[in-house]
Amino acid sequence: MIRLLNAKTRQLPDEDEMNAQQGQPYVIISHVWNREIVFEDMPRFEEMITSSKRESAAKISGACATVLRHYNGHVKHLWLDTVCINKKNLTELSMAINSMYKWYKQAKVCFVYLQDFPSKDVDVFTKSRWFTRGWTLQELVAPEQVNFFDRNWKMIGDKKSLQKELTARTKIAEMFLLGTSNISKASIAQRMSWFSGRRTTVPEDAAYCLLGMYGVNMPLLYGEGPERAFRRLQEEIMRYSDDHSIFAWTSTAPLKEGSGFLAESPDYFESAGGYEHKPDVRTSEPFEMTNKGLSIKVFLQQQGTYHVASIDCPQGDSHHLGVYLECQSMATQQYRRVRTNEMCRVRNTGRGKPERIFIKLPDDI
């Protein structure tokens, strides 16, 4: 259940008021955290105006005033993550994170507040720190209407009028940015590549902030570490998708020997923006995690001391992507991924034969 801030009174609802808010139109705010007023501060909001959090108070007041001005009082509510989630309630926090993509999608409009533009360091709006943060990816993609504002709440433009600049900065194609094509049509690797280079304050959030981008849900386990969180995300995606592009990554740093078939970070998809998945009937069987590793059917061939698994990601009309594997046991058909800093191109006429194999999990993460 979403909790909305009253733009006129700048007050949060009690339980009865919160129930009555459901289904009401609202504006959703996207911004970058600094020293923020949070949920438990709101009963003392007036005191915050002259406190060390006065910039946050000004942001909230500006958001409320802008909502009322733009809609002449016809839209009376807004949602702002800093104050509308009780983060001390872990159940509420988990529910909010798993619902956030839907909330952004259902909003009447998303107002993006660029607090550092214009400034002496940011003379072009796409240089704002907002474009480097993990959570803001879904906040750009999910809403149909997105309006950008500078630090004085002066409107810069909307997602449609600024599309060329936004696509150049984010690498998100126009059809996905503007919603003329559902993002589910973009491959797993393409969506991961949009996140590459973004950062989150809490390490595990690099995985959790992508839940809505893939339409999946999972428990939040803060403290598990970013690698385990990201592996759980990929395993959850594989429960619903047979898209081989999830394996189309390369490492940007030395990995543990035998890293498994799943990436440790979204950053490993930095160069994967052009990879698409086109299933082949000969290998389009379910793949799943087992106690022997990832069970998957792929085209397999031997190249010297290595094997190459050709995955269903075409490269032009005559090639497919291939990843390097090392056989651990012919008897059990267990392999591990090696040479993770590169992939190869495999001719369609030389992909080998389809085989079901098991790709070993890493010893630890």
Side-chain angles (χ1 to χ4, degrees):
M1 184 182 298
I2 192 169
R3 178 189 288 113
L4 299 173
L5 179 68
N6 187 305
K8 187 174 182 179
T9 65
R10 295 179 296 191
Q11 291 181 351
L12 292 171
D14 59 26
E15 187 172 338
D16 290 339
E17 291 169 333
M18 188 171 170
N19 288 328
Q21 287 180 345
Q22 306 311 300
Q24 294 292 313
Y26 62 92
V27 173
I28 202 160
I29 309 298
S30 176
H31 67 116
V32 173
W33 279 55
N34 291 297
R35 185 175 178 84
E36 300 294 338
I37 293 172
V38 294
F39 174 80
E40 52 267 30
D41 293 327
M42 286 305 290
R44 300 178 293 109
F45 180 78
E46 296 302 323
E47 298 175 25
M48 297 291 107
I49 295 175
T50 56
S51 73
S52 59
K53 296 184 177 182
R54 56 185 174 274
E55 286 191 4
S56 178
K59 181 194 302 185
I60 294 170
S61 296
C64 291
T66 304
V67 168
L68 295 173
R69 183 174 72 250
H70 270 248
Y71 293 101
N72 295 317
H74 297 298
V75 177
K76 302 174 183 178
H77 297 95
L78 61 91
W79 187 89
L80 181 65
D81 59 349
T82 49
V83 300
C84 293
I85 305 173
N86 180 3
K87 296 177 180 63
K88 291 187 175 181
N89 183 326
L90 297 183
T91 300
E92 179 176 331
L93 176 61
S94 180
M95 182 277 294
I97 288 178
N98 277 279
S99 303
M100 206 170 289
Y101 189 91
K102 178 181 70 175
W103 291 347
Y104 273 89
K105 192 173 185 65
Q106 292 177 344
K108 186 173 183 66
V109 64
C110 174
F111 285 178
V112 174
Y113 179 58
L114 306 180
Q115 192 166 2
D116 58 352
F117 174 77
S119 68
K120 63 179 182 180
D121 299 317
V122 183
D123 56 347
V124 178
F125 85 97
T126 52
K127 292 181 181 179
S128 170
R129 195 161 68 95
W130 185 88
F131 288 91
T132 70
R133 307 308 296 167
W135 289 102
T136 59
L137 174 59
Q138 68 174 5
E139 296 163 11
L140 173 65
V141 172
E144 179 180 353
Q145 178 71 27
V146 180
N147 295 349
F148 289 82
F149 294 84
D150 69 11
R151 64 189 304 168
N152 297 313
W153 287 101
K154 180 181 178 182
M155 188 166 163
I156 303 166
D158 61 19
K159 187 160 65 168
K160 187 173 183 180
S161 66
L162 300 171
Q163 177 267 317
K164 290 184 178 179
E165 294 94 330
L166 293 172
T167 293
R169 179 65 176 84
T170 64
K171 311 304 180 187
I172 303 173
E174 177 182 357
M175 60 183 176
F176 300 125
L177 182 68
L178 299 185
T180 55
S181 184
N182 193 289
I183 64 166
S184 63
K185 303 297 183 184
S187 73
I188 289 172
Q190 286 174 326
R191 281 175 272 173
M192 290 290 184
S193 74
W194 301 342
F195 182 87
S196 177
R198 293 173 178 262
R199 295 293 177 260
T200 57
T201 302
V202 180
E204 291 87 351
D205 280 345
Y208 303 157
C209 72
L210 290 171
L211 291 171
M213 297 289 292
Y214 294 96
V216 299
N217 299 96
M218 68 183 198
L220 310 184
L221 303 174
Y222 286 109
E224 67 176 321
E227 294 86 4
R228 285 188 182 276
F230 191 58
R231 187 171 78 182
R232 283 201 301 123
L233 171 65
Q234 292 169 93
E235 291 173 355
E236 195 65 26
I237 292 170
M238 289 191 299
R239 291 181 58 196
Y240 301 96
S241 173
D242 64 353
D243 184 345
H244 280 199
S245 75
I246 197 171
F247 311 121
W249 55 270
T250 53
S251 65
T252 55
L255 298 181
K256 294 178 284 290
E257 188 66 23
S259 63
F261 219 30
L262 301 181
E264 293 185 3
S265 165
D267 286 340
Y268 296 162
F269 291 89
E270 180 180 5
S271 302
Y275 297 155
E276 298 181 351
H277 172 241
K278 292 188 178 179
D280 188 307
V281 294
R282 294 167 292 178
T283 54
S284 60
E285 295 183 5
F287 47 84
E288 60 181 347
M289 299 303 300
T290 73
N291 57 6
K292 289 175 62 177
L294 175 70
S295 172
I296 185 171
K297 192 173 186 179
V298 291
F299 287 96
L300 194 69
Q301 61 172 301
Q302 189 162 1
Q303 287 190 5
T305 59
Y306 299 110
H307 288 76
V308 173
S310 175
I311 59 178
D312 291 343
C313 295
Q315 295 286 280
D317 296 328
S318 59
H319 291 78
H320 277 72
L321 278 178
V323 297
Y324 292 100
L325 302 176
E326 185 177 77
C327 183
Q328 300 293 285
S329 169
M330 288 300 295
T332 60
Q333 285 293 287
Q334 275 189 299
Y335 294 78
R336 64 178 180 179
R337 186 167 176 187
V338 291
R339 294 171 65 174
T340 52
N341 63 320
E342 60 181 331
M343 291 186 287
C344 61
R345 287 161 53 90
V346 180
R347 287 192 175 275
N348 294 346
T349 54
R351 297 181 74 187
K353 61 179 182 178
E355 294 187 36
R356 179 159 291 278
I357 62 173
F358 297 90
I359 301 178
K360 185 178 179 293
L361 294 171
D363 295 330
D364 56 48
I365 284 185

